[in-house]
Amino acid sequence: GNSVTQMQGQVTLSEEEFLFINCTYSTTGYPTLFWYVQYPGEGPQLLLKVTTANNKGSSRGFEATYDKGTTSFHLQKASVQESDSAVYYCVLGDRRTNTGKLTFGDGTVLTVKP
Amino acid sequence: NSKVIQTPRYLVKGQGQKAKMRCIPEKGHPVVFWYQQNKNNEFKFLINFQNQEVLQQIDMTEKRFSAECPSNSPCSLEIQSSEAGDSALYLCASSLSRQGEDTQYFGPGTRLLVL
């Protein structure tokens, strides 16, 4: 089956520091990779999406690159702000299943201190 | 921003009671998903629909869980006999298609507490 691994459960940074969140995935299908962000009291919302066709996605200063060789999809941001504090999920979609079911990583809680 | 509406936002039930929650997907989205998010932030896919038909569901939902998406009415997820382990955030999402590459838009969730 499909799986997603986020090794970092928690990341704490100060404002303007560099963010890197590790994500690796496993699938025998045709992946589309997402990063979703969830703020307290809200549902997850799309941060960025990458398919095998475009390899790299970016949004609001965040970037992620899909690497088929290492099956990785790490998230990074050059300079974080306090408002970036949230839970970040690496998510795998699989076109092979034809049902749209997503596989979520366990999430990384990002805390940015002012 | 997502326009998926979920009601109620909070639900408190005793063990053995029915718990029902509703979802209105984004306009024009024929595919609806239900996920359960536990207190450890782990997501579990429950069931999904395209229009009124079930696409896929896990074994758990075949027993105490039931769901439907009737035409011209909100989708619903119902737990027939709630258990303490059902306490979680229930998230509804909708999408333009059932292709794994299409974005799913999530509602704010219904937080169920089973006492």
Side-chain angles (χ1 to χ4, degrees):
Chain A
N2 296 331
S3 67
V4 176
T5 301
Q6 289 178 246
M7 296 299 292
Q8 302 146 287
Q10 298 213 8
V11 172
T12 301
L13 298 170
S14 298
E15 279 194 320
E16 299 184 6
E17 286 193 311
F18 173 72
L19 170 68
F20 182 89
I21 301 178
N22 187 294
C23 171
T24 56
Y25 65 91
S26 174
T27 181
T28 56
Y30 303 98
T32 295
L33 295 153
F34 306 83
W35 278 98
Y36 277 82
V37 57
Q38 187 174 25
Y39 299 98
E42 299 182 11
Q45 58 181 263
L46 179 70
L47 179 59
L48 54 83
K49 177 175 90 170
V50 169
T51 67
T52 54
N54 57 8
N55 283 5
K56 187 173 183 177
S58 61
S59 172
R60 299 188 251 164
F62 292 88
E63 290 185 347
T65 301
Y66 160 66
D67 186 328
K68 185 177 179 182
T70 58
T71 61
S72 66
F73 189 55
H74 310 313
L75 181 70
Q76 47 189 356
K77 186 177 185 183
S79 175
V80 294
Q81 302 300 312
E82 190 177 0
S83 58
D84 293 328
S85 297
V87 185
Y88 292 80
Y89 295 96
C90 184
V91 182
L92 173 65
D94 184 358
R95 283 180 285 141
R96 179 197 54 175
T97 65
N98 203 29
T99 63
K101 171 188 164 185
L102 296 177
T103 301
F104 284 76
D106 289 339
T108 298
V109 179
L110 172 64
T111 302
V112 180
K113 297 181 178 179
Chain B
N1 288 336
S2 174
K3 298 177 179 62
V4 176
I5 298 171
Q6 288 190 249
T7 56
R9 292 294 306 273
Y10 301 93
L11 199 52
V12 180
K13 295 292 179 182
Q15 294 197 48
Q17 290 186 320
K18 285 186 183 180
K20 187 169 186 175
M21 54 204 83
R22 293 175 175 80
C23 169
I24 300 175
E26 281 209 29
K27 190 174 181 180
H29 285 189
V31 185
V32 174
F33 303 80
W34 287 98
Y35 294 89
Q36 179 194 64
Q37 183 181 18
N38 67 18
K39 62 181 181 180
N40 296 320
N41 288 334
E42 295 164 334
F43 286 75
K44 180 185 288 184
F45 166 82
L46 296 177
I47 191 169
N48 61 346
F49 294 83
Q50 181 158 356
N51 297 316
Q52 292 81 53
E53 294 195 14
V54 175
L55 293 175
Q56 186 180 8
Q57 62 182 348
I58 66 168
D59 287 345
M60 183 176 73
T61 62
E62 294 176 8
K63 297 173 183 175
R64 297 184 297 109
F65 288 63
S66 62
E68 61 177 3
C69 274
S71 177
N72 298 319
S73 293
C75 297
S76 64
L77 176 69
E78 185 171 52
I79 306 173
Q80 300 300 321
S81 178
S82 300
E83 299 176 356
D86 298 330
S87 295
L89 182 67
Y90 289 84
L91 291 160
C92 176
S94 70
S95 180
L96 282 170
S97 83
R98 60 186 189 184
Q99 297 301 313
E101 60 193 359
D102 275 330
T103 299
Q104 292 181 24
Y105 296 88
F106 286 82
T110 293
R111 186 166 297 280
L112 172 65
L113 175 62
V114 182
L115 301 175

